[in-house]
Amino acid sequence: MKRRLVYLIVMLFMFTSLGGPHAFAAEEKKAEEKQGTEIVTGVRSAILMERDTGKILYDQNGNEKLPPASMTKIMTMLLIMEAIDKGKLKWDEKIRTSEYAASMGGSQIFLEPGEEMTTKQMLLGIAIGSGNDASVAMAERIGGSEEAFVDMMNAKVKELGLKQTFFKNTTGLPESGHYSSAHDMAVLAKELLKYEDITKFTGMYEAYLRENTDKKFWLVNTNKLVRFYPGVDGLKTGFTAEAKYCLTATAQKDGMRVIAVVFGAPTSKDRNAQVTKMLDYAFSQYQTHPVYKRNQTIGEAKVSKGQDKTVKAVTSEPLSLLTKKGEKTKDVKQKITLEKKLKAPVKKGDRVGTIKLIKDGKVVLESPLVAKSTVQEAGWWTLYKRSFGMFTKAGK
């Protein structure tokens, strides 16, 4: 009897010291939740983002500063696409290769000093072949020098509010103080994907340069998921001995586009497998509900002292609502705010307002509205005629 009593007391002590049945249930639940959320394994960091909303669907050490290797070229391609969009660069413009650009090591398309290729050809070399030489040639064309272009890269980093990124070069070749994070790479990819033409390059599995010459060069995409995962059409791989295998991938299915980033996988096979798991998770669990396409006119903002009195305010990116699979969107309101003190000149792409989507009193999406076109400053004669017309009307 005593023995039985002691046994019961010991069991009661153990049970209460561990917190009773609720503690056991809580620990079991935590373990299940932890196991359920560990989508990615064996990499240094990873993140999964829905493109239109910027919603993070999965995060593993996403803010850790790490060497991005050739994923750096996402920023290089972003500045190229911006320059084209603003009319500062043309697709068929011939870009000359300097001796410095031709001297780049690592991945390259073997440009020779003085060789010329069009912007389109150079972008193919960067997007598919990860050409360091092409990256530097484009940087020199847009910035005047690689150093000036790197300053542009870091200015864009600041503009986007990225906290874990600093660039020292355009290529991702190893350099002290050159770093980024999975989160920041996803934001850069989100920004680059505003320019829908980019996936025509990053989504190609193979292409040729110098066709119809004796120096014909075959490009094969370093991102094998472009061929083997339905819907993948970008964006950029990376590898150095320090960074290991990295990938920022994007895929689109049933109208939803997601971005998956992996840093520091031990092999390319592991890198692709972990990205695949994130893509599978996103498409099986979530869906988007499109609201606006990019460049849709939302309103008109008044411009002071411009050749035109107003400028059309358009969406700067596709806008959608994100839900779990099967959920509906109801009672979503929108709030549009246009700048009231715009003064010419206003350049195409300048921010002129904001659009917010609101559900249950909470802002679920906020995005800039930008100028659809450039409005130059009006000359004195135009301003005089306007003011004279105002005086005339006032006198009637």
Side-chain angles (χ1 to χ4, degrees):
M1 182 72 180
K2 285 183 179 179
R3 229 181 248 177
R4 195 171 175 185
L5 184 61
V6 170
Y7 176 77
L8 287 170
I9 291 170
V10 170
M11 288 300 294
L12 182 64
F13 174 76
M14 289 177 65
F15 202 60
T16 54
S17 66
L18 288 170
H22 294 295
F24 277 111
E27 290 300 320
E28 189 175 341
K29 186 177 180 183
K30 282 182 182 178
E32 287 176 358
E33 287 176 349
K34 186 177 180 183
Q35 187 178 11
T37 56
E38 285 184 350
I39 300 170
V40 174
T41 57
V43 302
R44 293 193 65 177
S45 70
I47 209 159
L48 177 65
M49 174 190 286
E50 192 278 320
R51 202 235 73 93
D52 287 5
T53 62
K55 175 76 174 176
I56 302 299
L57 308 180
Y58 177 79
D59 186 343
Q60 183 186 117
N61 304 324
N63 290 321
E64 184 178 353
K65 294 178 182 178
L66 295 167
S70 279
M71 293 193 300
T72 298
K73 296 184 179 84
I74 291 175
M75 174 63 94
T76 303
M77 291 189 288
L78 171 58
L79 295 183
I80 292 171
M81 295 305 292
E82 279 191 354
I84 292 169
D85 189 61
K86 292 179 179 179
K88 296 179 179 179
L89 181 66
K90 294 184 178 179
W91 285 113
D92 59 356
E93 179 181 340
K94 289 188 175 181
I95 311 299
R96 186 179 180 279
T97 305
S98 69
E99 286 193 19
Y100 174 66
S103 73
M104 291 294 108
S107 301
Q108 53 188 303
I109 59 172
F110 300 99
L111 291 168
E112 296 182 358
E115 184 176 2
E116 292 184 339
M117 284 192 181
T118 64
T119 299
K120 183 178 179 179
Q121 291 169 326
M122 289 286 191
L123 192 53
L124 281 172
I126 297 168
I128 302 176
S130 196
N132 294 330
D133 43 4
S135 296
V136 173
M138 289 304 304
E140 291 176 334
R141 160 59 184 86
I142 294 170
S145 68
E146 185 185 26
E147 292 80 4
F149 188 82
V150 170
D151 288 341
M152 293 171 65
M153 294 168 75
N154 288 315
K156 192 67 179 180
V157 165
K158 190 174 181 180
E159 179 189 324
L160 294 173
L162 307 183
K163 304 299 183 186
Q164 298 98 32
T165 298
F166 192 81
F167 294 119
K168 290 288 191 75
N169 58 57
T170 66
T171 60
L173 288 169
E175 191 167 348
S176 178
H178 184 100
Y179 56 82
S180 190
S181 67
H183 170 271
D184 287 4
M185 273 294 148
V187 174
L188 280 176
K190 181 181 189 299
E191 192 72 12
L192 176 58
L193 287 164
K194 287 181 179 180
Y195 305 100
E196 294 177 358
D197 283 343
I198 192 62
T199 54
K200 295 177 183 177
F201 296 85
T202 61
M204 293 178 69
Y205 184 68
E206 60 184 354
Y208 284 95
L209 293 174
R210 307 182 186 92
E211 284 193 88
N212 304 317
T213 73
D214 57 357
K215 294 182 180 179
K216 187 175 181 179
F217 190 73
W218 183 38
L219 295 170
V220 180
N221 204 319
T222 53
N223 179 9
K224 303 308 177 191
L225 293 182
V226 165
R227 184 173 183 179
F228 297 111
Y229 192 104
V232 170
D233 51 7
L235 276 168
K236 193 69 198 71
T237 59
F239 172 79
T240 64
E242 180 189 17
K244 302 302 180 187
Y245 290 88
C246 308
L247 173 60
T248 297
T250 184
Q252 190 169 30
K253 183 179 180 181
D254 298 329
M256 181 171 78
R257 180 174 286 283
V258 295
I259 298 160
V261 184
V262 159
F263 273 74
T267 68
S268 60
K269 186 176 179 180
D270 290 320
R271 171 184 70 188
N272 294 346
Q274 302 312 313
V275 166
T276 294
K277 285 195 284 185
M278 284 194 282
L279 295 178
D280 286 345
Y281 171 75
F283 293 128
S284 68
Q285 299 300 310
Y286 294 91
Q287 66 183 116
T288 54
H289 308 265
V291 180
Y292 289 111
K293 294 180 179 180
R294 182 174 179 255
N295 283 331
Q296 273 196 250
T297 301
I298 303 298
E300 287 193 355
K302 292 181 180 179
V303 180
S304 170
K305 298 183 179 180
Q307 286 182 352
D308 300 310
K309 294 181 180 180
T310 62
V311 65
K312 288 184 178 179
V314 299
T315 51
S316 61
E317 58 188 335
L319 303 179
S320 301
L321 293 169
L322 177 72
T323 67
K324 294 285 283 186
K325 270 284 178 72
E327 289 181 8
K328 305 293 183 183
T329 57
K330 294 181 180 179
D331 304 322
V332 176
K333 299 177 181 179
Q334 63 181 39
K335 182 180 179 181
I336 297 166
T337 307
L338 298 175
E339 295 288 343
K340 294 180 180 179
K341 295 183 179 179
L342 281 177
K343 187 176 179 180
V346 175
K347 295 180 181 178
K348 178 184 176 182
D350 282 356
R351 185 170 184 152
V352 296
T354 304
I355 182 170
K356 294 180 182 179
L357 300 181
I358 303 167
K359 190 176 188 303
D360 299 327
K362 295 181 180 179
V363 177
V364 293
L365 180 62
E366 181 174 349
S367 181
L369 296 175
V370 298
K372 185 176 182 178
S373 57
T374 295
V375 177
Q376 300 290 358
E377 192 173 358
W380 71 269
W381 180 242
T382 301
L383 295 174
Y384 170 76
K385 285 193 294 183
R386 282 182 192 166
S387 60
F388 183 79
M390 289 171 62
F391 289 139
T392 303
K393 288 178 183 177
K396 288 182 179 180

